[in-house]
Structures are given as structure tokens and as C-alpha cells.
Amino acid sequence: MTVRKGKSLAISIQEHMAIDVCPGPIRPIRQISAYFPRLSPTSSFSEQLSPNQAAAPTSLSPGAAAGRSGGLLSPLLPGAAGGGGSLSAMSSMDTSIEIDSCDSDDNTSLGTLEFDLLYERATSSLHCTVLRAKGLKPMDFNGLADPYVKLHLLPGACKANKLKTRTVRNTLNPAWNETLTYCGITEEDMYRKTLRVSVCDEDKLTHNEFIGESRVALRRVKPDLTKHFNICLEHPPPGIPCYLREWETEQQRCLEERGRLLLCLQYFPPASDGDAKGEAKERARGGLCVGVKRCAHLAAMDVNGYSDPYVKTYLKPDVQKKSKHKTAVIKKTLNPEFNEEFFYEITFSELATKTLEVTVWDYDLGKSNDFIGGVSLGCHSQGETLQHWIDCLKNKGEKVERWHTLTNELPGSTLQE
């Protein structure tokens, strides 16, 4: 074919079909009428064409091809020159353009999601109430989906931070009305972390399919005030499996964060004569009571994606090796609840020179237990751990609870199993 400068390029219907299909992904052509403009049955064909179109065959230049939506080609009129022959204009009168919204994700609405966020400062907990979704993208052969919602805190380990709603079957407009709660969320977390909310379709025989996601910076949520969100779902990062790239970067950024531990410290001053009764007789001489409440978002140490955690406490320096206490083992969980207390009989002056070491371990039958993380509290600590220790010493007789971030290494400590 010879193309002269200054003249538009006339393309036959066969050539246009070849250009539209190759190169690129091969898409099925449903019917030939898809390549004709939408015509109204009530008006004549000549009324819908301009004088120039009615007099000559349609020509398509590269610029015009890019400007057309869908890349549709106007029909050739009877008698027009072109290698494709002639087509009757009236043959397309009763057929409109059929656009398949599933052919391209760019033209597909993924749907909307409604949920509420509430951060309770007193309990250091973040509540996400997943309300409903509307207009989700069909994922199954029946034109429906089996949607559920997953939550992840970023940065953080995906497995430990994942919360999930129940699945609602065969619907594109599910209603969950389900509240998911993160424990051990500090005000610092609310400033630096992001909540990823994703909607997926559950498939029993194959892998679950990703529908869409949205992310909310937790700094937008004010303490003790419920904030409502009604957001549009977005596509996952292109070109990679869902979450893979972020999983790798988050693992590198959060190697030092192994989970959270809720500790309750209480120092009992020596009781005066006659005041000690019942259980208090054991603590009449004064000492430190360490309450191990619970852990949250622990690192997974077993192949099943969970851990079998337990907690140990030491009061160091421990010359006589008698300060070790250990909780029970909680099987297959990353959010164990212990609610155990240990008492150290010690004077207030001696306590000022001691360091409380609390470590979390994963129990393994027949081999060495795995160290998950720990925290040290004492006068040589820093940040929140130091403040917790000082508050315990200042408020004698009162319980002081605080969440602590577990770390891989404890300064100046030799881990004992």
C-alpha cells in the first residue's frame, strides 16, 4: 500500500480488524456490528452522517484513531472504494455497540466500601467496623462474588496484622456489620501507621481473588471519635502479585518490631503490723508484682503461620538464679492472652538497681524454643519503658499498665532458656 504525504489513509474493515487485534492480547470479536457506530432505529442513516461522510468513505488517520473511544470504525458506504468490498448501511440499523466491561479493568468499577474507625486511647485499641460494600466487581461465573474484607496494618508483618471478616455468599452488595479490633495500638502507631482495607472473593477450589483495596492514614482518626469512611476501591500495584513487593519492604523496615506485650507493674510497699490479711500476707514485706496480660501481633515462628508463645520474666542481676518465672504456653496464636502475675519480694532501694527483663518465646517440641522478642525495664531504659518503670516506682500500690514493643535484641542481656 502506498501512502502519499498530505492524504489521509483509508483503511478497510479487514485491515482495521487486524490492526485492532495484533499486536497485543487477542480479544474475541463478538459480532461485526461492534465495529459500527451506535445508530438509532428511529432516525435514518443519512441523518446521522455529516455531508462529507455521506459522500465519501470514512478515512482514519493515526490521530483520529487515538481520539475515538474504543477505536471503532465507521462503516463503508455502498460503492465506496476499498479492498473489503461494500456493506449495506441498513444492516447495522438494529444493532448497537456491545461493550464488554470485563475486557479492561480500566473501564471497570470495583465498587465502594463503607466502614468506621474508632481509636480508644484508654485501652490502646483500634476498632474497625466494616459496614457494607456496593457495586463490587463480579468475580464468579454466575456474575456474582463471595466477598470478605481483610485488614492489614502497615508497616508490619502481614500475617500478624491480618484481621478478616466473615464471607457473604453470592452478592455484589454485601453487608457485614462486623467489628474487628487491633489491640496494643499506641498513639505513636496512630501517627505513623496506615490501615489497608482490601476486599477479596473467596473460592473454595482455587485461590481467593483480589477485588480492590483502599488505604487510610491513621493520623486522620482522632482519639475517642468515630470517623466514617465511604471510599472507592482501587487496583493493587500493577505487574506484581498482590502484596509481594510491600511484604518484602515491610519485613526489612520492621525487623526490630516483633509484636506487642501488655505489662502491668505494681510495687507494694511494706505493710504495717496487723494490716496484712489473706493473700496480702505474702506481700507484706513489700515487693514488685509483674502482671503479664497479653501479647498482640507476634511474629510467626512456625510453618503454619502461627506461634506457641509463652512469656518469661527475670529480675536482674540475678546472682542466685531464682528470679525466673514463666507463663503457660498458648498454642497456635499470634495474639495470646495470659493474665498471670508474678511477685518479687524486694525492697524499694534494691528495686532501683534492678532491671526487669521480659521475653516472649515460641515453644517447640523436641528442639530448642525460638526467641520472639523481649523488653527490658529499669532505670537504664529509654522511652516508654523508662517512663513505665518510673511511674511504677512513683505510684506505690497502684497498677500501671502499658503496651511495649518487643525487639530482637535486649541491651546488655544474655538470653536464657
Side-chain angles (χ1 to χ4, degrees), residues 310-384:
Y310 65 94
V311 178
K312 293 191 303 179
T313 65
Y314 289 92
L315 197 59
K316 296 185 175 181
D318 184 17
V319 178
Q320 298 180 353
K321 307 293 183 180
K322 294 182 178 180
S323 68
K324 175 183 174 181
H325 290 289
K326 185 167 67 173
T327 69
V329 177
I330 309 297
K331 295 288 186 178
K332 292 184 180 181
T333 180
L334 300 178
N335 299 278
E337 187 168 350
F338 300 100
N339 291 321
E340 297 188 34
E341 292 185 348
F342 308 114
F343 184 75
Y344 293 99
E345 184 176 317
I346 188 173
T347 64
F348 186 78
S349 58
E350 292 175 335
L351 187 61
T353 63
K354 295 286 187 178
T355 298
L356 177 66
E357 182 180 283
V358 186
T359 55
V360 184
W361 298 76
D362 168 57
Y363 175 78
D364 287 323
L365 181 62
K367 59 180 182 179
S368 299
N369 297 333
D370 299 320
F371 174 69
I372 297 179
V375 61
S376 295
L377 296 91
C379 295
H380 300 289
S381 303
Q382 296 179 351
E384 292 186 356

Side-chain angles (χ1 to χ4, degrees), residues 182-336:
Y182 282 104
C183 298
I185 305 300
T186 63
E187 293 188 42
E188 180 184 356
D189 294 328
M190 294 298 294
Y191 179 78
R192 69 183 183 92
K193 285 185 178 288
T194 297
L195 179 67
R196 174 169 54 198
V197 186
S198 55
V199 182
C200 299
D201 170 61
E202 183 180 280
D203 287 323
K204 293 183 178 180
L205 301 179
T206 60
H207 295 290
N208 296 342
E209 296 179 291
F210 184 86
I211 298 179
E213 69 169 26
S214 183
R215 306 185 184 195
V216 178
L218 294 183
R219 66 173 65 96
R220 298 174 56 186
V221 181
K222 297 182 179 179
D224 302 319
L225 291 178
T226 301
K227 186 173 181 62
H228 181 74
F229 293 88
N230 187 2
I231 46 89
C232 294
L233 298 176
E234 301 174 354
H235 295 280
I240 58 173
C242 182
Y243 308 139
L244 180 58
R245 181 183 302 168
E246 290 189 59
W247 166 258
E248 294 175 351
T249 57
E250 288 160 17
Q251 288 296 95
Q252 294 176 358
R253 294 175 57 186
C254 297
L255 289 177
E256 77 283 357
E257 186 170 322
R258 310 283 288 178
R260 299 293 171 86
L261 172 67
L262 179 59
L263 284 179
C264 176
L265 301 183
Q266 184 178 11
Y267 178 75
F268 289 92
S272 58
D273 295 340
D275 290 344
K277 296 181 181 179
E279 184 181 351
K281 291 182 178 180
E282 300 178 359
R283 307 175 181 179
R285 298 179 57 183
L288 176 66
C289 180
V290 179
V292 180
K293 296 296 185 179
R294 61 187 306 177
C295 294
H297 325 314
L298 293 179
M301 306 302 291
D302 297 335
V303 294
N304 59 5
Y306 295 99
S307 295
D308 302 320
Y310 65 94
V311 178
K312 293 191 303 179
T313 65
Y314 289 92
L315 197 59
K316 296 185 175 181
D318 184 17
V319 178
Q320 298 180 353
K321 307 293 183 180
K322 294 182 178 180
S323 68
K324 175 183 174 181
H325 290 289
K326 185 167 67 173
T327 69
V329 177
I330 309 297
K331 295 288 186 178
K332 292 184 180 181
T333 180
L334 300 178
N335 299 278

Side-chain angles (χ1 to χ4, degrees), residues 33 36-39 45 75 88-96:
S33 60
F36 290 85
R38 188 187 301 272
L39 302 178
F45 181 73
S88 172
M90 298 304 295
S91 64
S92 62
M93 289 285 291
D94 298 329
T95 308
S96 62

Side-chain angles (χ1 to χ4, degrees), residues 77-129:
L77 298 181
S86 63
L87 293 174
S88 172
M90 298 304 295
S91 64
S92 62
M93 289 285 291
D94 298 329
T95 308
S96 62
I97 299 175
E98 182 178 349
I99 300 177
D100 189 358
S101 61
C102 295
D103 283 348
S104 174
D105 285 341
D106 295 333
N107 297 326
T108 302
S109 174
L110 301 180
T112 61
L113 180 67
E114 289 187 54
F115 58 94
D116 293 334
L117 290 180
L118 171 63
Y119 175 65
E120 292 184 353
R121 181 183 292 170
T123 59
S124 298
S125 56
L126 175 65
H127 306 280
C128 179
T129 302

Side-chain angles (χ1 to χ4, degrees), residues 26-64:
I26 298 177
R27 298 180 181 178
I29 301 174
R30 295 178 180 271
Q31 52 188 349
I32 197 66
S33 60
Y35 290 90
F36 290 85
R38 188 187 301 272
L39 302 178
S40 172
T42 59
S43 60
S44 64
F45 181 73
S46 59
E47 292 176 355
Q48 301 191 35
L49 295 177
S50 64
N52 294 335
Q53 289 175 318
T58 301
S59 62
L60 185 64
S61 63

